[in-house]
Amino acid sequence: MVAADWPGVDPEWSREIDVASTSAADGSGAVRRWHVLDNGAQLSRRGLTPAGTLLCVHGNPTWSYLWRTLLAAGSDPAHPWRVVAVDQLDMGYSERTGTFRRLEDRINDLGDLTTALGLDGPVVTVGHDWGGVISLGWALAHQQQLAGVVLTNTAVHQPAGAGIPPALRLALHPAVHRWGTTTSDTFLRVTHSLAHPPLATDVRTAFMAPYRGAARRAGVGNFVADIPADASHPSFPALSRVAAGLSGLGVPALMLWGPRDPIFSDRYLKDLIGRLPQAKVHRFEGAGHLVAEDRDIAAPVFEWLAGLGRDSPTEPPGHGTDGPGNEVPPLWAPLTTLAAGPDGGDTAVAEMAADGSVARSLSWQELERNIAALAAGLAEAGVGHGSRVSLMVPPGVDLTVVLYACLRLGAVVVVADAGLGTRGLSRAVKGATPDFLIGIDRALAAASVLGWSGRRISVRDLPAARRRLLAVETSLAALARRGADPGPELPDRGPASDPDADAAVLFTSGSTGPAKGVLYTHRQLAAMRDTVAATLGIRPGARLVAGFAPFALLGPALGAVSVTPAMDVTVPRTLTARALADAAAAIDATVIFASPAALRNVLATQGGVGLAGQEVLGRVELLLSAGAPVPEPLLAEVQRLLPRASLHTPYGMTEALPVTDISLEQIRAAEADAAAGTVAGAGNGVCVGWPVRGARAAVIPLAADGTAPGNEPVTEAGVTGEILVSAPHVKETYDRLWLTQRESVRTAGWHRTGDVGHFDAAGRLWVEGRLVHVVTAPGTVVTPVGAEQAIERLDDVGLAAVVGVGPSGTQAVVAVVETVPPARRAGPAAPQLAGRVRDAARQAGVSVSAVLAVPSQPTDIRHNAKIDRTRLSRWASAVLAGGRPGTP
């Protein structure tokens, strides 16, 4: 045993200790030799007093080496903690006892060790895999010493009726078990292969080192055999005691999770969250079972340790601005009021058929009755306060009814649309771990194939065979019928919601990385409704064509008659001018909401609108477009199609919508100011106007390396920085993304948006791009949007993207343009086009090193407009290095 052979381990940490055993697996007077990695002596030698002790327990088939980054971090004089990482008996470099040690023995073994070490409080346990259960068993038995618990990919409960993970089931099979876990090193190699990225050779060698030879692997096999697969297993009572005891464990908890885990999936994380609701949770997308190897867990662990005993450092910006405990009208209040009033028989919500007719519609009274009936039916099915309900239903009548029924019951609706793509959608649904999944047939089929969690409810009644195939329990139609005549045995039709209770998890577009779940309370949703109403003047009686899913859902809450046009709302460019006109005619629309991509297709297909369509569009009073920058020339064309409409482009994001607002006339005035140079700071970006009612905005200035490291908000004209927002309708938190949330609110009282921009002297905000897309060229920082806009004014250019190629600080500025007509293949732009692009960028103050042309830009599905600049940067780097262009 030579610690110097273990990369990342200081030899001084390695020690052995003889421990008197009191476990049933051993005879009276047995003494066992343990190996531990312990930095306690090192801290003492350096004169450092630790704040406490981390007691780290590995699982199977790892050993104390798993916790080397925590040992290194705990040895840092800036935040000294004693870290004791144990090798469980029969594992790592501890004694091979020749006995079969059950879960109860191992919990007791750990207590024997800590007694021998004289370990006193405060102690924070850290556990992984079955070491998580063992560490929690120790925690429950030593609560007087316990200060907190940290868990990584583990489980304490196997759901009834659910099989254990296939990988463990295979390892337990009599034909495989001994050979796979003991005779050969297969179990070790398979476990190590779960690292993402793969383990370095020297690290893999270190993990394998204690288990060379079958005699050294007996504990590995016994550990697998001790998995309580069902209630008949000898270790099931011990596991159940640990699981039951957690509800009374009131100490702080931290869970760091790798979702790419074929063993401990998100369903086990969900169970742990239910037992330790106080836990801070962070899911590292892309990480797997060996999360401590896949990601840096030391930094978040020590950040969390630094906050033990303190209140949460920062409330969500704008949170509680109405006063703690103050009642606010729930999101659906205008709907209920209209249903009870003289206009209750008027149309409330409609959806269009492909032939231009109204496929379905409900009056306000019918909508209210349907919501109440479905709420009763859902309550009978088990939906209640805190239930997570994933809605896989296209915008329209059905989605409106089920959304408001769930909200009235206090359930948390999970909204992740198909615009995320199959992989993104699956990742979002699995991460949210819904209790119920309500969907159309296609969504339920995807749930079956992709393994989404949740009891399944179809929108429509399904044939019995189809219902069995998709594991569908019932349908919305059946629940509504049941709820319409509940009878005395059914529960109430739905309790009033706590305004500060969780209401919805809405997923971002995923255009700059994996989509994030954004958690809203009822109070924040109501504040969003009120802000939209006050900013844009949308009042009860307005008639809204919703070509964008969020507004299709918000319409009834505003008291607006809402219609969904015949389109795929998850692909905005499917909206045609004819479909828009038909929808507007169906309700004599006064308001239209459509994304920029939808508007482009509307303009491209406007020849299909007849005189009647032109007349109805000519009566529209307000157009809203958001989701991506909206160029003035596009708005000018839309204005000709909607001559009476006031055109507005509110700026916001899933975390806060809206933040600012501006009209076409105000955009033109801002651009005129920029061209004339009469207003300081005007120009270089998209002008998105002034903050809406109740909102504030500021920036954190950019540093020379393209980051925004400070925490002092400024609003001075011409200072470019990360945009901050504070408003009553800013999100509560990111769902199960504790680190992301902490980063987003690290400037007290503000949400850091990740967007970059500046103010002009008139107080208008100009957006210059995303922080992650800032280019760090030699001696300067380049934000992309200003140059992109200048390039897009060229007649033969559609969408343009400015990206950086090369090391940070020395990046070359590269323009990638989508040509009109589309280029036949991607690659270097023709010299003449390249020259015009360089000239246009130069006028915006940006020097472009290279110009590449593509037939089409890689955009997100939801908006069809947000360009994946990170992907383009990688592609451009390969092309400029001489690689084959291919497709970006």
Side-chain angles (χ1 to χ4, degrees), residues 58-60 128-135 154-155 168 223 227-228 239 264:
H58 67 85
N60 189 28
H128 173 253
D129 190 86
W130 288 103
V133 185
I134 294 162
S135 69
T154 186
L168 293 182
F223 229 134
I227 296 170
L239 179 66
F264 297 110

Side-chain angles (χ1 to χ4, degrees), residues 264-348:
F264 297 110
S265 63
D266 277 307
R267 74 178 181 184
Y268 297 107
L269 173 62
K270 178 178 180 145
D271 175 75
L272 286 167
I273 292 172
R275 297 173 191 277
L276 295 169
Q278 76 274 24
K280 307 297 184 185
V281 180
H282 189 86
R283 297 171 69 256
F284 292 97
E285 278 299 344
H289 179 67
L290 296 174
V291 64
E293 297 297 322
D294 294 352
R295 298 292 185 271
D296 171 17
I297 69 163
V301 165
F302 277 81
E303 182 179 346
W304 175 77
L305 290 172
L308 286 183
R310 297 206 306 259
D311 293 331
S312 177
T314 311
E315 282 192 329
H319 182 263
T321 52
D322 294 324
N326 284 359
E327 294 299 318
V328 294
L331 188 67
W332 57 87
L335 184 161
T336 304
T337 300
L338 282 166
D343 299 323
D346 294 346
T347 298

Side-chain angles (χ1 to χ4, degrees), residues 164 179 187 251 346 364 396-397 399 448 495 502 515 541 631 658 675 741 752 777 804:
I164 64 172
W179 172 84
F187 189 74
V251 297
D346 294 346
W364 292 106
V397 172
L399 181 57
S448 296
D502 296 346
Q741 172 63 15
R752 298 184 69 131

Side-chain angles (χ1 to χ4, degrees), residues 21 26-30:
S21 174
D26 294 320
S28 175

Side-chain angles (χ1 to χ4, degrees), residues 21 23-27 32 89-90 95-102 105-106 109 218-219 222-223:
S21 174
S23 292
D26 294 320
R32 297 301 185 190
L89 292 175
D90 301 309
E95 180 181 345
R96 277 18 183 197
T97 67
T99 63
F100 192 108
R101 311 190 83 79
R102 297 284 181 193
D105 296 319
R106 293 194 174 279
D109 288 341
N222 291 345
F223 229 134

Side-chain angles (χ1 to χ4, degrees), residues 659-742:
V659 172
T660 67
D661 180 52
I662 193 169
S663 68
L664 174 58
E665 292 75 17
Q666 292 167 334
I667 290 172
R668 286 171 169 162
E671 292 189 349
D673 289 341
T678 54
V679 176
N684 188 32
V686 175
C687 186
V688 296
W690 296 266
V692 299
R693 188 196 73 165
R696 296 182 299 140
V699 302
I700 296 291
L702 292 186
D705 63 356
T707 65
N711 274 316
E712 293 299 325
V714 301
T715 56
E716 284 88 348
V719 177
T720 293
E722 182 181 3
I723 298 170
L724 311 184
V725 178
S726 177
H729 57 280
V730 170
K731 54 99 170 109
E732 178 74 5
T733 188
Y734 286 111
D735 189 45
R736 300 174 185 176
L737 291 170
W738 173 66
L739 292 172
T740 307
Q741 172 63 15
R742 291 212 19 129

